[in-house]
Amino acid sequence: NPQYPAASEAIQIDQDAERGRFATATRDIQAGETLLVEKPHSGVLLAEYSKTHCQNCFLKCPIPLPCPNCPNVIFCSDKCLEAAQKSYHAYECHILPLIWKSGCSVTCHIALRMITQHKKDYFTELFKDLEQKPSGPYKTEDYRNIFHLVAHEDKRTKQDFLHRTQMTAFLVKLLEISGYFEGKQRDKPVDISEVKSMAVEDKYKEDVGLFG
Ligand SMILES: [Zn+2]
Ligand SMILES: [Zn+2]
């Protein structure tokens, strides 16, 4: 499908006010025919699998490789270790126990991963025309496409908004203590006194505006 590379040419994606975004068959579809193969924009491994499965590709690891900086995760290969270290795990390394113990849902962790998997510069650059939907084929890896997904603000309850606001404050605080705003990986575990307050240092005001 030229417009949606992850989808088969047997479906066409359209959008209207009543139905939202929807797919229609462009020809007869056989039983068992694959219509969509899409790599997720972002994904995280659940805490309970962190000592048995690779943090990066989620496969089971018979011979695990540890992270050189924390006891929280394992990797299946040098390739996965390196990929994670160069990206999200550089910042999540020491804050993972906090994420897991906070009781925040996997969706909240995915929200954080959507940020930590890219450098701050990526978002600073995107922010300039974030309101503009990207043109051309739909790329799942493009954050702007995720940003423009329907959020159903008009159907959400006050409690839901409150929860989301609190979670945003927590995740922004995690970004601060992880070293993400500075682009510098922290080198020691988090002390609980660091998260007594969700206040973020004044010098990160712009970062709070960008990521909050
Ligand atoms: Zn792996
Ligand atoms: Zn680590």
Side-chain angles (χ1 to χ4, degrees), residues 5-6 37-42 137-143 145-146:
V37 180
E38 190 176 35
K39 202 168 174 268
H41 177 78
S42 208
Y138 183 96
K139 291 198 184 101
T140 318
E141 66 271 24
D142 190 332
Y143 176 78
N145 282 323
I146 310 302

Side-chain angles (χ1 to χ4, degrees), residues 12-175:
Q12 178 186 326
I13 314 280
D14 288 305
Q15 190 156 13
D16 70 26
E18 199 189 322
R19 287 175 287 184
R21 195 158 54 148
F22 59 96
T24 341
T26 56
R27 59 165 169 81
D28 288 346
I29 294 169
Q30 301 304 314
E33 198 180 327
T34 304
L35 296 179
L36 196 76
V37 180
E38 190 176 35
K39 202 168 174 268
H41 177 78
S42 208
V44 298
L45 187 69
L46 291 171
E48 57 259 47
Y49 296 114
S50 61
K51 303 293 187 288
T52 51
H53 291 66
C54 176
Q55 185 68 201
N56 192 60
C57 69
F58 312 149
L59 289 178
K60 203 164 181 179
C61 302
I63 311 167
L65 288 178
C67 166
N69 305 314
C70 76
N72 306 321
V73 298
I74 57 168
F75 297 96
C76 70
S77 60
D78 284 328
K79 204 176 143 208
C80 274
L81 169 67
E82 201 182 311
Q85 295 287 53
K86 274 191 186 160
S87 161
Y88 58 91
H89 193 67
Y91 302 109
E92 289 184 18
C93 199
H94 292 295
I95 59 169
L96 269 177
L98 203 56
I99 298 171
W100 291 335
K101 284 184 201 147
S102 73
C104 81
S105 72
V106 69
T107 330
C108 298
H109 189 183
I110 293 175
L112 186 78
R113 178 67 55 86
M114 282 164 60
I115 306 297
T116 57
Q117 69 188 1
H118 292 292
K119 298 255 177 288
K120 191 171 101 175
D121 294 350
Y122 171 82
F123 293 104
T124 313
E125 194 51 39
L126 274 193
F127 193 65
K128 292 176 193 157
D129 61 349
L130 196 53
E131 295 307 321
Q132 198 70 35
K133 265 192 187 180
S135 55
Y138 183 96
K139 291 198 184 101
T140 318
E141 66 271 24
D142 190 332
Y143 176 78
R144 288 172 299 173
N145 282 323
I146 310 302
F147 181 81
H148 284 286
L149 286 175
V150 176
H152 294 298
E153 289 100 334
D154 53 330
K155 296 183 181 68
R156 294 186 184 278
T157 61
K158 284 179 204 150
Q159 285 85 349
D160 187 32
F161 278 118
L162 179 63
H163 167 73
R164 275 159 206 279
T165 310
Q166 287 168 331
M167 194 44 74
T168 306
F170 178 57
L171 296 181
V172 169
K173 183 69 190 171
L174 288 184
L175 287 176

